[in-house]
Amino acid sequence: MTEERNEFGLLATTRYVPRLRLERGDVLAQHRWMAPGLKTLAKGRRAMANWDEDSVTMAIEAARQLRAASPDAAVAELTLASTTLPFAERLNAGIVASALGVAPDAVLRDTASSPRAALTELSAALRRPANTAAQMLLASERRIARPASTQEMIFGDGAAGALVGNGSPIATLVASASTHADLVDHFRQAGEDHEYGWEERWVRDEGYMKIAVATLRQCLKDGGVSAGDIGQFAMPAPLARINDAVAKKLGIAPAALVSAEHDSVGALGCAQPLAMLDIALRAAVPGALVLVAAFGSGCDALLLRRTAVPCPGPVPDEGHPETSYMKYLSFTRQIDLAWGMRAEMDNKTALTAAWRDHARASRFEAGRCSACGTVQFPRARLCVNPECRAQDTQAPTYLADPPARVMSHTTDFLGYTPDPPFQFGHIDFEGGGRVLMEFTDTDVGELEVGLPLRMVYRVKEFDHQRGFRRYFWKATPVRTTASSPSLSTTRAR
């Protein structure tokens, strides 16, 4: 049994990976005629967001896992880091906070422009006074790479998060170091989808081997430890051999290198440092030193000591293989398919109505009658129970978290959806409530009456004419997810 503590530190980490995994071999098959050199990168799979996922919805999934891991932590600050935020002028962290029900007086911020933005925020949070209220740090990416590029093979979609505050931390801060340097290893102009990367050897020699190594050495010096003392070393890099070279130059043991999960997930951009930190902490033994770094326009390094508190929460499963490269191109809007007249509706969103209805849309707010206990969605003045019909007796209740099951389902091959067929049905919620809603991440033939479900926050529809997207909750089957492994001496490779 873990001893209860009241100490400031890192309370929980998590990572979220979309269910779909695009087979790199199927990507290569489409480009072999003009880019046969991609064969060296065609091993394994990369995470692929569904059409209704973006950096906001994936961040919400990571945040919900953090909430479940530390349910008593009242979030006073929430930061969303991403280089692919869906809105340039709208507080993206505000969408996340609304879906989570974060208190309206919480401090929210978006941070972007750098792959080390999330680790910079985590380092700052851990250096604040120990009486600071809980801070939630989220990082999420859905980067779009040019077809047949190296990035298309390397990139993956996903999110990660960390919770900092007082309680029973899984790790505490030992030291940190930061260096800013306007070395441009890659860049993406505002308004563009695709980035431009420079020659890898130059980036390695001038960037990682000089800037990153110097920053890491300073962090180790400030922590009063030697490189040989490091139990887990996590640093995202375009190629694994860069990590090997950095570790060798510093004197970090090869066994300490943490997997970037390239063969099953891919590079998660801004989310990668937090994702690798989550992997490292779950593999570290009590007392082990964990060194994590992020490179980009400089370098951040963070040295943590693992406690004996088990890492809470699940770890991502292996996902579902996706072999259709054309589906990937359609989901990322890099091809414009002829969907026909059924897809020509105007999806303009009335922002005034969206604000009036924000509790229902953001938090899945229903009403529970105080007279008879009936739950109904949407909440209304009159109870729908014919034996009650009480007026103005409904208190808010929320349907995003209660377990649910399929009551009925329909698979429609005629109605438009970016991922046919369109699947919807009636959902029964444990504790009351019945709603007609969409399914997502569901295979044809998978739905059946009584199938357990959970709710996920997704894009409901796009208004491509005006550049707006509307979100709502959808139902998805509950699938077995690996639990966090117990503390062991096994190290990630």
Side-chain angles (χ1 to χ4, degrees), residues 435-456:
V435 182
L436 177 66
M437 60 191 305
E438 282 185 60
F439 297 101
T440 189
D441 283 339
T442 306
D443 301 326
V444 175
E446 182 179 12
L447 296 175
E448 59 182 22
V449 174
L451 181 71
L453 302 168
R454 66 184 184 91
M455 301 301 113
V456 291

mmCIF file with all atom_site columns, all heavy atoms in Angstrom, residues 435-456:
data_model
loop_
_atom_site.group_PDB
_atom_site.id
_atom_site.type_symbol
_atom_site.label_atom_id
_atom_site.label_alt_id
_atom_site.label_comp_id
_atom_site.label_asym_id
_atom_site.label_entity_id
_atom_site.label_seq_id
_atom_site.pdbx_PDB_ins_code
_atom_site.Cartn_x
_atom_site.Cartn_y
_atom_site.Cartn_z
_atom_site.occupancy
_atom_site.B_iso_or_equiv
_atom_site.pdbx_formal_charge
_atom_site.auth_seq_id
_atom_site.auth_comp_id
_atom_site.auth_asym_id
_atom_site.auth_atom_id
_atom_site.pdbx_PDB_model_num
ATOM 1   N N   . VAL A 1 435 ? -30.183 8.853  -24.932 1.00 0.00 ? 435 VAL A N   1
ATOM 2   C CA  . VAL A 1 435 ? -29.887 9.873  -25.931 1.00 0.00 ? 435 VAL A CA  1
ATOM 3   C C   . VAL A 1 435 ? -29.668 9.208  -27.283 1.00 0.00 ? 435 VAL A C   1
ATOM 4   O O   . VAL A 1 435 ? -29.039 8.155  -27.373 1.00 0.00 ? 435 VAL A O   1
ATOM 5   C CB  . VAL A 1 435 ? -28.619 10.687 -25.542 1.00 0.00 ? 435 VAL A CB  1
ATOM 6   C CG1 . VAL A 1 435 ? -28.338 11.772 -26.567 1.00 0.00 ? 435 VAL A CG1 1
ATOM 7   C CG2 . VAL A 1 435 ? -28.787 11.305 -24.157 1.00 0.00 ? 435 VAL A CG2 1
ATOM 8   N N   . LEU A 1 436 ? -30.181 9.838  -28.339 1.00 0.00 ? 436 LEU A N   1
ATOM 9   C CA  . LEU A 1 436 ? -29.888 9.436  -29.711 1.00 0.00 ? 436 LEU A CA  1
ATOM 10  C C   . LEU A 1 436 ? -28.635 10.185 -30.153 1.00 0.00 ? 436 LEU A C   1
ATOM 11  O O   . LEU A 1 436 ? -28.620 11.413 -30.170 1.00 0.00 ? 436 LEU A O   1
ATOM 12  C CB  . LEU A 1 436 ? -31.060 9.785  -30.624 1.00 0.00 ? 436 LEU A CB  1
ATOM 13  C CG  . LEU A 1 436 ? -30.873 9.474  -32.123 1.00 0.00 ? 436 LEU A CG  1
ATOM 14  C CD1 . LEU A 1 436 ? -30.773 7.968  -32.356 1.00 0.00 ? 436 LEU A CD1 1
ATOM 15  C CD2 . LEU A 1 436 ? -32.018 10.077 -32.942 1.00 0.00 ? 436 LEU A CD2 1
ATOM 16  N N   . MET A 1 437 ? -27.581 9.466  -30.498 1.00 0.00 ? 437 MET A N   1
ATOM 17  C CA  . MET A 1 437 ? -26.316 10.136 -30.817 1.00 0.00 ? 437 MET A CA  1
ATOM 18  C C   . MET A 1 437 ? -25.464 9.323  -31.774 1.00 0.00 ? 437 MET A C   1
ATOM 19  O O   . MET A 1 437 ? -25.761 8.156  -32.082 1.00 0.00 ? 437 MET A O   1
ATOM 20  C CB  . MET A 1 437 ? -25.546 10.445 -29.536 1.00 0.00 ? 437 MET A CB  1
ATOM 21  C CG  . MET A 1 437 ? -25.177 9.241  -28.704 1.00 0.00 ? 437 MET A CG  1
ATOM 22  S SD  . MET A 1 437 ? -24.543 9.722  -27.058 1.00 0.00 ? 437 MET A SD  1
ATOM 23  C CE  . MET A 1 437 ? -23.202 10.826 -27.487 1.00 0.00 ? 437 MET A CE  1
ATOM 24  N N   . GLU A 1 438 ? -24.373 9.940  -32.236 1.00 0.00 ? 438 GLU A N   1
ATOM 25  C CA  . GLU A 1 438 ? -23.449 9.313  -33.180 1.00 0.00 ? 438 GLU A CA  1
ATOM 26  C C   . GLU A 1 438 ? -22.483 8.368  -32.477 1.00 0.00 ? 438 GLU A C   1
ATOM 27  O O   . GLU A 1 438 ? -22.129 8.562  -31.316 1.00 0.00 ? 438 GLU A O   1
ATOM 28  C CB  . GLU A 1 438 ? -22.613 10.378 -33.893 1.00 0.00 ? 438 GLU A CB  1
ATOM 29  C CG  . GLU A 1 438 ? -23.295 11.111 -35.000 1.00 0.00 ? 438 GLU A CG  1
ATOM 30  C CD  . GLU A 1 438 ? -22.340 12.055 -35.699 1.00 0.00 ? 438 GLU A CD  1
ATOM 31  O OE1 . GLU A 1 438 ? -21.314 11.584 -36.247 1.00 0.00 ? 438 GLU A OE1 1
ATOM 32  O OE2 . GLU A 1 438 ? -22.612 13.269 -35.668 1.00 0.00 ? 438 GLU A OE2 1
ATOM 33  N N   . PHE A 1 439 ? -22.009 7.378  -33.250 1.00 0.00 ? 439 PHE A N   1
ATOM 34  C CA  . PHE A 1 439 ? -20.896 6.538  -32.837 1.00 0.00 ? 439 PHE A CA  1
ATOM 35  C C   . PHE A 1 439 ? -19.649 6.977  -33.606 1.00 0.00 ? 439 PHE A C   1
ATOM 36  O O   . PHE A 1 439 ? -19.733 7.478  -34.733 1.00 0.00 ? 439 PHE A O   1
ATOM 37  C CB  . PHE A 1 439 ? -21.162 5.058  -33.140 1.00 0.00 ? 439 PHE A CB  1
ATOM 38  C CG  . PHE A 1 439 ? -22.329 4.485  -32.393 1.00 0.00 ? 439 PHE A CG  1
ATOM 39  C CD1 . PHE A 1 439 ? -23.556 4.316  -33.015 1.00 0.00 ? 439 PHE A CD1 1
ATOM 40  C CD2 . PHE A 1 439 ? -22.203 4.099  -31.068 1.00 0.00 ? 439 PHE A CD2 1
ATOM 41  C CE1 . PHE A 1 439 ? -24.635 3.776  -32.330 1.00 0.00 ? 439 PHE A CE1 1
ATOM 42  C CE2 . PHE A 1 439 ? -23.269 3.560  -30.378 1.00 0.00 ? 439 PHE A CE2 1
ATOM 43  C CZ  . PHE A 1 439 ? -24.484 3.399  -31.005 1.00 0.00 ? 439 PHE A CZ  1
ATOM 44  N N   . THR A 1 440 ? -18.493 6.777  -33.017 1.00 0.00 ? 440 THR A N   1
ATOM 45  C CA  . THR A 1 440 ? -17.240 7.048  -33.701 1.00 0.00 ? 440 THR A CA  1
ATOM 46  C C   . THR A 1 440 ? -16.235 5.962  -33.353 1.00 0.00 ? 440 THR A C   1
ATOM 47  O O   . THR A 1 440 ? -16.390 5.254  -32.347 1.00 0.00 ? 440 THR A O   1
ATOM 48  C CB  . THR A 1 440 ? -16.690 8.438  -33.324 1.00 0.00 ? 440 THR A CB  1
ATOM 49  O OG1 . THR A 1 440 ? -15.569 8.740  -34.170 1.00 0.00 ? 440 THR A OG1 1
ATOM 50  C CG2 . THR A 1 440 ? -16.245 8.495  -31.868 1.00 0.00 ? 440 THR A CG2 1
ATOM 51  N N   . ASP A 1 441 ? -15.194 5.825  -34.187 1.00 0.00 ? 441 ASP A N   1
ATOM 52  C CA  . ASP A 1 441 ? -14.183 4.769  -34.005 1.00 0.00 ? 441 ASP A CA  1
ATOM 53  C C   . ASP A 1 441 ? -14.841 3.407  -33.858 1.00 0.00 ? 441 ASP A C   1
ATOM 54  O O   . ASP A 1 441 ? -14.477 2.602  -32.991 1.00 0.00 ? 441 ASP A O   1
ATOM 55  C CB  . ASP A 1 441 ? -13.319 5.063  -32.768 1.00 0.00 ? 441 ASP A CB  1
ATOM 56  C CG  . ASP A 1 441 ? -12.278 6.136  -33.039 1.00 0.00 ? 441 ASP A CG  1
ATOM 57  O OD1 . ASP A 1 441 ? -11.954 6.354  -34.222 1.00 0.00 ? 441 ASP A OD1 1
ATOM 58  O OD2 . ASP A 1 441 ? -11.782 6.751  -32.085 1.00 0.00 ? 441 ASP A OD2 1
ATOM 59  N N   . THR A 1 442 ? -15.817 3.154  -34.716 1.00 0.00 ? 442 THR A N   1
ATOM 60  C CA  . THR A 1 442 ? -16.603 1.923  -34.636 1.00 0.00 ? 442 THR A CA  1
ATOM 61  C C   . THR A 1 442 ? -16.499 1.170  -35.947 1.00 0.00 ? 442 THR A C   1
ATOM 62  O O   . THR A 1 442 ? -16.694 1.748  -37.019 1.00 0.00 ? 442 THR A O   1
ATOM 63  C CB  . THR A 1 442 ? -18.079 2.242  -34.345 1.00 0.00 ? 442 THR A CB  1
ATOM 64  O OG1 . THR A 1 442 ? -18.151 3.060  -33.182 1.00 0.00 ? 442 THR A OG1 1
ATOM 65  C CG2 . THR A 1 442 ? -18.874 0.981  -34.108 1.00 0.00 ? 442 THR A CG2 1
ATOM 66  N N   . ASP A 1 443 ? -16.220 -0.112 -35.888 1.00 0.00 ? 443 ASP A N   1
ATOM 67  C CA  . ASP A 1 443 ? -16.140 -0.931 -37.085 1.00 0.00 ? 443 ASP A CA  1
ATOM 68  C C   . ASP A 1 443 ? -17.530 -1.396 -37.511 1.00 0.00 ? 443 ASP A C   1
ATOM 69  O O   . ASP A 1 443 ? -18.427 -1.572 -36.680 1.00 0.00 ? 443 ASP A O   1
ATOM 70  C CB  . ASP A 1 443 ? -15.259 -2.155 -36.829 1.00 0.00 ? 443 ASP A CB  1
ATOM 71  C CG  . ASP A 1 443 ? -13.848 -1.776 -36.400 1.00 0.00 ? 443 ASP A CG  1
ATOM 72  O OD1 . ASP A 1 443 ? -13.348 -0.735 -36.882 1.00 0.00 ? 443 ASP A OD1 1
ATOM 73  O OD2 . ASP A 1 443 ? -13.261 -2.514 -35.592 1.00 0.00 ? 443 ASP A OD2 1
ATOM 74  N N   . VAL A 1 444 ? -17.697 -1.597 -38.811 1.00 0.00 ? 444 VAL A N   1
ATOM 75  C CA  . VAL A 1 444 ? -18.956 -2.135 -39.324 1.00 0.00 ? 444 VAL A CA  1
ATOM 76  C C   . VAL A 1 444 ? -19.165 -3.538 -38.762 1.00 0.00 ? 444 VAL A C   1
ATOM 77  O O   . VAL A 1 444 ? -18.272 -4.376 -38.809 1.00 0.00 ? 444 VAL A O   1
ATOM 78  C CB  . VAL A 1 444 ? -18.943 -2.159 -40.866 1.00 0.00 ? 444 VAL A CB  1
ATOM 79  C CG1 . VAL A 1 444 ? -20.213 -2.831 -41.397 1.00 0.00 ? 444 VAL A CG1 1
ATOM 80  C CG2 . VAL A 1 444 ? -18.813 -0.758 -41.428 1.00 0.00 ? 444 VAL A CG2 1
ATOM 81  N N   . GLY A 1 445 ? -20.333 -3.772 -38.192 1.00 0.00 ? 445 GLY A N   1
ATOM 82  C CA  . GLY A 1 445 ? -20.648 -5.064 -37.605 1.00 0.00 ? 445 GLY A CA  1
ATOM 83  C C   . GLY A 1 445 ? -20.273 -5.193 -36.146 1.00 0.00 ? 445 GLY A C   1
ATOM 84  O O   . GLY A 1 445 ? -20.583 -6.211 -35.514 1.00 0.00 ? 445 GLY A O   1
ATOM 85  N N   . GLU A 1 446 ? -19.621 -4.179 -35.594 1.00 0.00 ? 446 GLU A N   1
ATOM 86  C CA  . GLU A 1 446 ? -19.183 -4.243 -34.202 1.00 0.00 ? 446 GLU A CA  1
ATOM 87  C C   . GLU A 1 446 ? -20.315 -3.932 -33.227 1.00 0.00 ? 446 GLU A C   1
ATOM 88  O O   . GLU A 1 446 ? -20.366 -4.475 -32.121 1.00 0.00 ? 446 GLU A O   1
ATOM 89  C CB  . GLU A 1 446 ? -18.029 -3.271 -33.971 1.00 0.00 ? 446 GLU A CB  1
ATOM 90  C CG  . GLU A 1 446 ? -17.465 -3.282 -32.558 1.00 0.00 ? 446 GLU A CG  1
ATOM 91  C CD  . GLU A 1 446 ? -16.316 -2.327 -32.371 1.00 0.00 ? 446 GLU A CD  1
ATOM 92  O OE1 . GLU A 1 446 ? -16.084 -1.491 -33.263 1.00 0.00 ? 446 GLU A OE1 1
ATOM 93  O OE2 . GLU A 1 446 ? -15.643 -2.407 -31.329 1.00 0.00 ? 446 GLU A OE2 1
ATOM 94  N N   . LEU A 1 447 ? -21.242 -3.066 -33.636 1.00 0.00 ? 447 LEU A N   1
ATOM 95  C CA  . LEU A 1 447 ? -22.301 -2.628 -32.722 1.00 0.00 ? 447 LEU A CA  1
ATOM 96  C C   . LEU A 1 447 ? -23.316 -3.739 -32.486 1.00 0.00 ? 447 LEU A C   1
ATOM 97  O O   . LEU A 1 447 ? -23.684 -4.475 -33.398 1.00 0.00 ? 447 LEU A O   1
ATOM 98  C CB  . LEU A 1 447 ? -23.014 -1.400 -33.288 1.00 0.00 ? 447 LEU A CB  1
ATOM 99  C CG  . LEU A 1 447 ? -22.170 -0.138 -33.435 1.00 0.00 ? 447 LEU A CG  1
ATOM 100 C CD1 . LEU A 1 447 ? -22.974 0.958  -34.114 1.00 0.00 ? 447 LEU A CD1 1
ATOM 101 C CD2 . LEU A 1 447 ? -21.670 0.325  -32.070 1.00 0.00 ? 447 LEU A CD2 1
ATOM 102 N N   . GLU A 1 448 ? -23.751 -3.852 -31.238 1.00 0.00 ? 448 GLU A N   1
ATOM 103 C CA  . GLU A 1 448 ? -24.811 -4.785 -30.874 1.00 0.00 ? 448 GLU A CA  1
ATOM 104 C C   . GLU A 1 448 ? -25.469 -4.267 -29.607 1.00 0.00 ? 448 GLU A C   1
ATOM 105 O O   . GLU A 1 448 ? -24.875 -3.499 -28.830 1.00 0.00 ? 448 GLU A O   1
ATOM 106 C CB  . GLU A 1 448 ? -24.255 -6.185 -30.646 1.00 0.00 ? 448 GLU A CB  1
ATOM 107 C CG  . GLU A 1 448 ? -23.211 -6.279 -29.554 1.00 0.00 ? 448 GLU A CG  1
ATOM 108 C CD  . GLU A 1 448 ? -22.655 -7.685 -29.389 1.00 0.00 ? 448 GLU A CD  1
ATOM 109 O OE1 . GLU A 1 448 ? -22.752 -8.480 -30.344 1.00 0.00 ? 448 GLU A OE1 1
ATOM 110 O OE2 . GLU A 1 448 ? -22.131 -7.963 -28.296 1.00 0.00 ? 448 GLU A OE2 1
ATOM 111 N N   . VAL A 1 449 ? -26.722 -4.632 -29.421 1.00 0.00 ? 449 VAL A N   1
ATOM 112 C CA  . VAL A 1 449 ? -27.468 -4.178 -28.251 1.00 0.00 ? 449 VAL A CA  1
ATOM 113 C C   . VAL A 1 449 ? -26.751 -4.640 -26.976 1.00 0.00 ? 449 VAL A C   1
ATOM 114 O O   . VAL A 1 449 ? -26.359 -5.804 -26.858 1.00 0.00 ? 449 VAL A O   1
ATOM 115 C CB  . VAL A 1 449 ? -28.919 -4.711 -28.294 1.00 0.00 ? 449 VAL A CB  1
ATOM 116 C CG1 . VAL A 1 449 ? -29.654 -4.354 -26.994 1.00 0.00 ? 449 VAL A CG1 1
ATOM 117 C CG2 . VAL A 1 449 ? -29.661 -4.135 -29.491 1.00 0.00 ? 449 VAL A CG2 1
ATOM 118 N N   . GLY A 1 450 ? -26.578 -3.719 -26.048 1.00 0.00 ? 450 GLY A N   1
ATOM 119 C CA  . GLY A 1 450 ? -25.913 -4.030 -24.791 1.00 0.00 ? 450 GLY A CA  1
ATOM 120 C C   . GLY A 1 450 ? -24.422 -3.794 -24.789 1.00 0.00 ? 450 GLY A C   1
ATOM 121 O O   . GLY A 1 450 ? -23.773 -3.932 -23.741 1.00 0.00 ? 450 GLY A O   1
ATOM 122 N N   . LEU A 1 451 ? -23.828 -3.425 -25.944 1.00 0.00 ? 451 LEU A N   1
ATOM 123 C CA  . LEU A 1 451 ? -22.389 -3.200 -26.017 1.00 0.00 ? 451 LEU A CA  1
ATOM 124 C C   . LEU A 1 451 ? -21.989 -2.025 -25.118 1.00 0.00 ? 451 LEU A C   1
ATOM 125 O O   . LEU A 1 451 ? -22.562 -0.940 -25.220 1.00 0.00 ? 451 LEU A O   1
ATOM 126 C CB  . LEU A 1 451 ? -21.986 -2.897 -27.464 1.00 0.00 ? 451 LEU A CB  1
ATOM 127 C CG  . LEU A 1 451 ? -20.496 -2.667 -27.723 1.00 0.00 ? 451 LEU A CG  1
ATOM 128 C CD1 . LEU A 1 451 ? -19.727 -3.973 -27.601 1.00 0.00 ? 451 LEU A CD1 1
ATOM 129 C CD2 . LEU A 1 451 ? -20.283 -2.035 -29.095 1.00 0.00 ? 451 LEU A CD2 1
ATOM 130 N N   . PRO A 1 452 ? -21.005 -2.201 -24.226 1.00 0.00 ? 452 PRO A N   1
ATOM 131 C CA  . PRO A 1 452 ? -20.573 -1.096 -23.360 1.00 0.00 ? 452 PRO A CA  1
ATOM 132 C C   . PRO A 1 452 ? -19.967 0.041  -24.171 1.00 0.00 ? 452 PRO A C   1
ATOM 133 O O   . PRO A 1 452 ? -19.224 -0.189 -25.138 1.00 0.00 ? 452 PRO A O   1
ATOM 134 C CB  . PRO A 1 452 ? -19.529 -1.742 -22.444 1.00 0.00 ? 452 PRO A CB  1
ATOM 135 C CG  . PRO A 1 452 ? -19.814 -3.211 -22.509 1.00 0.00 ? 452 PRO A CG  1
ATOM 136 C CD  . PRO A 1 452 ? -20.320 -3.461 -23.893 1.00 0.00 ? 452 PRO A CD  1
ATOM 137 N N   . LEU A 1 453 ? -20.242 1.265  -23.750 1.00 0.00 ? 453 LEU A N   1
ATOM 138 C CA  . LEU A 1 453 ? -19.781 2.456  -24.456 1.00 0.00 ? 453 LEU A CA  1
ATOM 139 C C   . LEU A 1 453 ? -19.162 3.452  -23.487 1.00 0.00 ? 453 LEU A C   1
ATOM 140 O O   . LEU A 1 453 ? -19.439 3.421  -22.292 1.00 0.00 ? 453 LEU A O   1
ATOM 141 C CB  . LEU A 1 453 ? -20.949 3.146  -25.172 1.00 0.00 ? 453 LEU A CB  1
ATOM 142 C CG  . LEU A 1 453 ? -21.746 2.338  -26.183 1.00 0.00 ? 453 LEU A CG  1
ATOM 143 C CD1 . LEU A 1 453 ? -23.018 3.092  -26.549 1.00 0.00 ? 453 LEU A CD1 1
ATOM 144 C CD2 . LEU A 1 453 ? -20.910 2.058  -27.433 1.00 0.00 ? 453 LEU A CD2 1
ATOM 145 N N   . ARG A 1 454 ? -18.352 4.330  -24.027 1.00 0.00 ? 454 ARG A N   1
ATOM 146 C CA  . ARG A 1 454 ? -17.883 5.501  -23.299 1.00 0.00 ? 454 ARG A CA  1
ATOM 147 C C   . ARG A 1 454 ? -18.029 6.704  -24.219 1.00 0.00 ? 454 ARG A C   1
ATOM 148 O O   . ARG A 1 454 ? -18.095 6.566  -25.453 1.00 0.00 ? 454 ARG A O   1
ATOM 149 C CB  . ARG A 1 454 ? -16.448 5.339  -22.823 1.00 0.00 ? 454 ARG A CB  1
ATOM 150 C CG  . ARG A 1 454 ? -15.415 5.270  -23.939 1.00 0.00 ? 454 ARG A CG  1
ATOM 151 C CD  . ARG A 1 454 ? -14.018 5.022  -23.388 1.00 0.00 ? 454 ARG A CD  1
ATOM 152 N NE  . ARG A 1 454 ? -13.014 5.047  -24.447 1.00 0.00 ? 454 ARG A NE  1
ATOM 153 C CZ  . ARG A 1 454 ? -12.350 6.140  -24.819 1.00 0.00 ? 454 ARG A CZ  1
ATOM 154 N NH1 . ARG A 1 454 ? -12.587 7.296  -24.206 1.00 0.00 ? 454 ARG A NH1 1
ATOM 155 N NH2 . ARG A 1 454 ? -11.456 6.107  -25.776 1.00 0.00 ? 454 ARG A NH2 1
ATOM 156 N N   . MET A 1 455 ? -18.057 7.891  -23.628 1.00 0.00 ? 455 MET A N   1
ATOM 157 C CA  . MET A 1 455 ? -18.232 9.106  -24.413 1.00 0.00 ? 455 MET A CA  1
ATOM 158 C C   . MET A 1 455 ? -16.871 9.740  -24.729 1.00 0.00 ? 455 MET A C   1
ATOM 159 O O   . MET A 1 455 ? -15.958 9.730  -23.896 1.00 0.00 ? 455 MET A O   1
ATOM 160 C CB  . MET A 1 455 ? -19.089 10.114 -23.651 1.00 0.00 ? 455 MET A CB  1
ATOM 161 C CG  . MET A 1 455 ? -20.484 9.606  -23.282 1.00 0.00 ? 455 MET A CG  1
ATOM 162 S SD  . MET A 1 455 ? -21.463 9.113  -24.710 1.00 0.00 ? 455 MET A SD  1
ATOM 163 C CE  . MET A 1 455 ? -21.588 7.331  -24.429 1.00 0.00 ? 455 MET A CE  1
ATOM 164 N N   . VAL A 1 456 ? -16.741 10.285 -25.934 1.00 0.00 ? 456 VAL A N   1
ATOM 165 C CA  . VAL A 1 456 ? -15.536 10.999 -26.347 1.00 0.00 ? 456 VAL A CA  1
ATOM 166 C C   . VAL A 1 456 ? -15.956 12.319 -26.983 1.00 0.00 ? 456 VAL A C   1
ATOM 167 O O   . VAL A 1 456 ? -16.998 12.420 -27.625 1.00 0.00 ? 456 VAL A O   1
ATOM 168 C CB  . VAL A 1 456 ? -14.679 10.180 -27.331 1.00 0.00 ? 456 VAL A CB  1
ATOM 169 C CG1 . VAL A 1 456 ? -14.054 8.989  -26.630 1.00 0.00 ? 456 VAL A CG1 1
ATOM 170 C CG2 . VAL A 1 456 ? -15.506 9.716  -28.531 1.00 0.00 ? 456 VAL A CG2 1
#
